Each structure stands twice: as structure tokens, then as C-alpha cells.
Amino acid sequence: MDVSRIRAITLDLDDTLWPIWPTITRAEDALQGWLSEHAPATAALSAAPGTLRELRNQMNTTRPDLAHDMSGLRRESIRLLLQRAGDDPALAEPAFEVFFAERHRVELFDDALPALEWLSSRYPVVAVSNGNADVHRVGIGAHFRASLNAHGFGAAKPDPGIFHAAAQAAGVAASQVLHIGDDAHLDGVGALNAGMQLAWVNREGHAWEHAPLAPHITVSELLALCRALG
């Protein structure tokens, strides 16, 4: 890692700053509880084994326009489920808001906030995500110069375009950016192909499988990266 070249940071969110699947599980539990009260037939249908997986597969096939829109996919999946159960499809809007509110009650990794404070005091930081988290709703928006996601940009990581747009939002060239993320393919390959340096956050000790590409630094937690940056 060439620290002297770094003028900005781009940063993944899900599974880099917080674990995503416990968050999604809590959000789905909150949604199921709301449906049980307001649309019990839909709640019963959604609890049937395989229903949600089949529904997601159908949405991916029938709504390619929502390919990068995680919120839209979730909302329209709820609407389809309500229709199948014979409930009012208009309930999709308040039902989604229940899910979305809980989706933003994340539990940050212990190192995330101290590292974010350290990084944002030294560099402009831009969030780059394929998901639908809003850094302001999470409560960390003050640390970011900007936030890009696949839906808003129109393409998802690992497309180099979203990384180039993030560099532009930070006001620097891609070669002056250090991208930080956990996903070796989406974050790693994408950032490297965009001409950025890469800090791979490998909390679980996975093997890197994208040679000859390689991260410029690999860390198991974010404060180790801060120490390496000096």
C-alpha cells in the first residue's frame, strides 16, 4: 500500500461496518410481526417453507428493471405476497417501511465507528454500496462526503463505473483512492479494475481467489488499517 498516493477513501457498508445478515433477519422478523397483525393471511403464506425464495426468483425474472433496486425488490415482493394471499396490496408501503426502519438499526462492528472517525478526520470518505442502507438513517452520515449505491448510479459493484463515480464525488482521481471493503469480488476486483488501491477487510480469514489481482493490504479489522495508514 502506497500511503503517499492516498487522497480519499471509498468504503463499503454491509459486512464492512456492520454484519448484514443479523440485521436482515431482525428486519424480516419485524415485518412478519407486522403482517401477523395487519395481514394475517399474508403472514401465514410468507411463513410457508420456500415461499420467499420462490417469490424472489420470480421477481428477479419478471422485474429486471429492479435488478439494482433492493428497496424496490423488497417492496414489490411484499406487494406480490399480499396479492397472492388476498390481502390489500396497498399494505406493501407501510409493511416495507417497517422492514426498512429495522434494516437501519444496525449493530456496528466494535472497530467501525472509531475507524470511521479516524478516517473521516483525515480523508474525504465516500460510501459505495450495492445495498439500500442510508448512512444518515444509520446515524453515521456526518462522516461521509457522499454516498453512492447501485440503484442511484445504475450499475453495481464490481462495475468500475461506480468506483470512478465515487472518486469523482471525492474530488480525486481513482488512482488516489483507497477502497475499503469485505467482498473480494465486488469490492476487491471492482476497485482494482477501477485503478484504486484496495484494503481488503477479511474478518473471517477467507482465501483470496482472484490472482493475479491482489489487495494492497489485508486486515482483519479496521483499526489495523488505521494504524497502517499512520
Side-chain angles (χ1 to χ4, degrees):
M1 181 174 65
D2 184 352
V3 175
S4 68
R5 285 171 45 206
I6 300 169
R7 295 291 180 270
I9 300 292
T10 56
L11 182 63
D12 175 56
L13 299 176
D14 294 328
D15 283 333
T16 295
L17 296 183
W18 56 77
I20 184 56
W21 289 113
T23 304
I24 295 299
T25 297
R26 289 192 301 272
E28 290 181 338
D29 287 347
L31 172 61
Q32 186 70 9
W34 189 92
L35 290 172
S36 295
E37 181 178 352
H38 296 90
T42 301
L45 181 59
S46 68
T51 297
L52 295 180
R53 184 181 301 107
E54 185 271 331
L55 202 64
R56 282 193 293 270
N57 290 339
Q58 180 176 340
M59 291 298 298
N60 288 335
T61 301
T62 61
R63 294 298 304 272
D65 57 306
L66 298 177
H68 302 312
D69 184 357
M70 297 298 103
S71 293
L73 277 171
R74 178 71 64 168
R75 185 185 297 106
E76 295 312 307
S77 294
I78 295 170
R79 195 183 313 279
L80 181 57
L81 194 63
L82 287 160
Q83 290 172 336
R84 284 189 179 183
D87 285 320
D88 183 359
L91 291 174
E93 302 298 334
F96 172 75
E97 285 306 318
V98 168
F99 172 89
F100 203 48
E102 192 64 34
R103 188 258 187 271
H104 283 93
R105 294 190 181 99
V106 302
E107 294 183 3
L108 295 168
F109 290 118
D110 289 343
D111 57 303
L113 188 56
L116 190 53
E117 291 171 344
W118 191 94
L119 291 167
S120 63
S121 71
R122 290 161 175 81
Y123 304 98
V125 180
V126 177
V128 185
S129 177
N130 284 356
N132 57 359
D134 181 328
V135 293
H136 297 285
R137 287 188 70 161
V138 170
I140 56 175
H143 299 294
F144 290 88
R145 171 75 61 86
S147 181
L148 280 70
N149 63 31
H151 177 224
F153 179 70
K157 298 181 294 185
D159 189 311
I162 194 169
F163 292 95
H164 291 152
Q168 185 175 15
V172 301
S175 61
Q176 296 174 301
V177 174
L178 176 68
H179 180 70
I180 305 169
D182 73 289
D183 191 294
H185 177 60
L186 300 179
D187 291 300
V189 173
L192 291 168
N193 284 340
M196 295 178 172
Q197 293 191 73
L198 171 66
W200 184 33
V201 183
N202 185 13
R203 296 182 186 274
E204 304 297 328
H206 297 301
W208 177 267
E209 298 179 346
H210 300 283
L213 297 175
H216 294 81
I217 184 172
T218 300
V219 294
S220 60
E221 51 92 21
L222 291 169
L223 290 175
L225 175 60
C226 295
R227 291 190 291 271
L229 288 168

